[in-house]
């Protein structure tokens, strides 16, 4: 789900704030920066668009700050108590921003989302709540009316119904205002949120006499938004029937493949829900794509998931992993470093490692549909891949020498369509042909705990590195969980040293905790950056 926010900014600060927002993936490129009159914030509030006014800083202040009075829309002309600031001649502009919140696992509490985005704005230096308690108004996540082709299509449809002579009592314009007008376009598909309308509201909006008119509505929406398919998103279930029939739901088992079992197609041909993952079916399936941070990602929406809300973590990885800081020599005589993604999916985070400049990215993924999406996405981005199928057995080489040429070529991605429990063994046979593994991504929710022992084993045994652990954690429990995670890794490192008496002792600490997004009311998706770096003291 996208939460929209307008920043009303003085002309001298527009470039600085826009650059900051772009650097963190928060600038809404679909809407132009536009002049803002003194009544802009009140007008935006009437349209349910949240507003923050960024005042030029006083000479006694080193930061930008936002202002709010008595819960009313922020005033454009403000006075600073510590220094006389005259803004009468200041030109103001509205900068559009968008905050992605993952709604795949249920409704998002607006108050939690608001608090999260204020925290983000404060962290990147745009607002300073410690100065005057900056906040925002009107937290409803909707689109500006004139920017919503979806709403335009619905009203055009209603107008056509009137022209056809249908009685006003058969439908109501007012009822449609209860809809949430947020949506996402993944070309060529329009994805509506679970909250677009509830079942009860659906009966109110589209009574039985109008059901046969729905195809006309879908066609109008497709034309307005330039798409061919429409679906309604639903939370990714934690349990499904089984791994091979995730969309039938008879016997409950953990949804380890993160299959989008509740996605509801409403227009267009999406294919068969239980289509087997074969080369022939890959060609028949419906695929969509999107671009984030200039990285293309591709996936079949009926068979695997995608979360826009992870863009904040993807952006952070691009900055965290500067190539210069990751370059080291290794036994093969070349230089560079590698990363391992133990839950690669379609390349959510794996592509960020490659974009940041790491030489090799080794990916483990069970869902064969996701693997195909990863392969297609890598090709779109210009990265070569080598597929290592189930348990490393390939059709073109005997099983006993399948490692003979893996890792020695120019491919950026080595893809293992198997359980990540096999990762340590496979990497052990590849270490001499790949740059040192300095980063391991454990990106599985609600917890990636089951992969942490493998993560420790696959890190470079001499140089160590960083393990990025994804977890859902109660907001009040994050500090406690951080300590628990560090202790767990210290225990895993000790076990590894006992098994290898020649290993170096690693110092374990949590260097950073990243709050990625609100997962559910009171629960955050966080990433613990755990460093395992050598103390250079060989064990006796």
């Amino acid at each position: 789900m996208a939460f929209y926010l307008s920043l009303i900014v003085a002309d001298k600060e527009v470039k600085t704030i826009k650059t900051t927002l772009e650097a963190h993936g928060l600038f809404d490129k679909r809407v132009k920066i536009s002049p803002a009159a003194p009544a802009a914030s009140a007008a935006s509030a009437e349209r349910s668009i949240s507003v923050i006014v960024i005042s030029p800083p006083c000479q006694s202040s080193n930061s930008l700050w936002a202002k709010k009075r008595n819960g009313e829309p922020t005033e454009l002309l403000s006075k600073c108590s510590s220094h006389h600031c005259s803004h009468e001649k200041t030109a103001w502009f509205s900068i559009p921003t968008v905050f992605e919140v993952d709604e795949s696992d249920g409704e998002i509490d607006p108050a939690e989302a608001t608090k999260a985005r204020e925290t983000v704005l404060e962290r990147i230096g745009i607002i300073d709540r410690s100065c005057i308690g900056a906040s925002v108004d009107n937290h409803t996540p909707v689109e500006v009316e004139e920017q919503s082709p979806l709403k335009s299509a619905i009203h055009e449809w209603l107008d056509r119904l009137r022209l056809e002579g249908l009685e006003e009592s058969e439908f109501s314009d007012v009822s449609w205002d209860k809809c949430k007008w947020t949506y996402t376009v993944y070309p060529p598909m329009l994805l509506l949120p679970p909250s677009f309308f509830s079942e009860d509201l659906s009966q109110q909006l589209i009574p039985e006499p109008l059901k046969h008119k729905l195809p006309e509505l879908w066609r109008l929406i497709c034309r307005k938004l330039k798409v061919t398919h429409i679906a309604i998103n639903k939370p990714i279930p934690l349990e499904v029937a089984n791994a091979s029939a995730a969309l039938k739901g008879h016997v409950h088992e953990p949804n380890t493949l993160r299959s989008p079992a509740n996605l509801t197609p409403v227009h267009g041909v999406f294919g068969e829900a239980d289509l087997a993952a074969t080369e022939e079916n890959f060609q028949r399936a419906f695929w969509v794509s999107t671009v984030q941070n200039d990285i293309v990602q591709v996936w079949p929406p009926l068979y695997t998931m995608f979360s826009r809300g992870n863009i904040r973590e993807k952006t952070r990885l691009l900055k965290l992993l500067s190539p210069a800081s990751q370059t080291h020599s290794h036994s093969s005589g070349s230089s560079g470093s590698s990363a391992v993604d133990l839950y690669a999916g379609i390349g959510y985070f794996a592509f960020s490692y490659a974009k940041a400049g790491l030489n090799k990215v080794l990916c483990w993924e069970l869902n064969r549909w996701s693997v195909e999406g990863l392969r297609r996405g890598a090709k779109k981005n210009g990265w070569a891949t080598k597929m290592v199928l189930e348990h490393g057995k390939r059709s073109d080489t005997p099983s006993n020498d399948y490692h003979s040429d893996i890792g020695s070529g120019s491919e950026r991605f080595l893809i293992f369509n198997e359980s990540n429990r096999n990762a340590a063994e496979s990497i052990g046979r590849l270490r001499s042909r790949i740059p040192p593994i300095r980063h391991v991504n454990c990106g599985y929710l609600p917890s990636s705990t089951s992969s942490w022992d493998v993560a420790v084993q696959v890190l470079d045994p001499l140089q160590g590195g960083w393990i990025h652990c994804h977890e859902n954690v109660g907001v009040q429990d994050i500090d406690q969980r951080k300590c628990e995670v560090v202790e767990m890794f210290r225990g895993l490192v000790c076990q590894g040293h006992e098994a290898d008496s020649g290993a170096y002792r690693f110092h374990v600490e949590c260097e950073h905790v990243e709050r990625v997004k609100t997962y559910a009311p009171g629960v955050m998706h966080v990433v613990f950056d755990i460093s395992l770096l050598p103390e250079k003291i060989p064990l006796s």
Side-chain angles (χ1 to χ4, degrees), residues 22-44:
E22 286 178 324
H24 292 83
L26 301 176
F27 180 66
D28 189 353
K29 296 180 180 179
R30 301 172 305 167
V31 183
K32 293 183 178 179
I33 296 176
S34 59
S41 63
S44 294

Side-chain angles (χ1 to χ4, degrees), residues 340-343 362 364 418-428 431 437 439-442 448-460 466-467 469 488-489 492-493 495-496 532:
V340 169
D341 193 337
L342 292 175
Y343 301 96
L362 287 72
W364 268 262
E418 61 177 1
S419 169
N420 58 30
R421 302 307 301 175
N422 300 324
E425 178 184 356
S426 294
I427 288 173
R431 285 202 191 274
I437 295 171
H439 290 270
V440 182
N441 201 77
C442 302
S448 59
T449 311
S450 62
S451 65
W452 293 354
D453 59 333
V454 175
V456 171
Q457 295 173 50
V458 301
L459 268 182
D460 187 79
W466 295 264
I467 300 175
C469 306
M488 292 175 70
F489 272 98
L492 292 171
V493 167
Q495 293 176 18
L532 282 70

Side-chain angles (χ1 to χ4, degrees), residues 9-10 78 85 108 125 154 167 190 197 288 329 354 400 409-410 419 481:
V9 178
S78 58
C85 297
I108 301 301
I154 289 175
E167 295 294 331
L190 166 68
F197 50 68
V288 300
S329 61
N400 61 353
S410 61
S419 169
R481 183 56 178 165

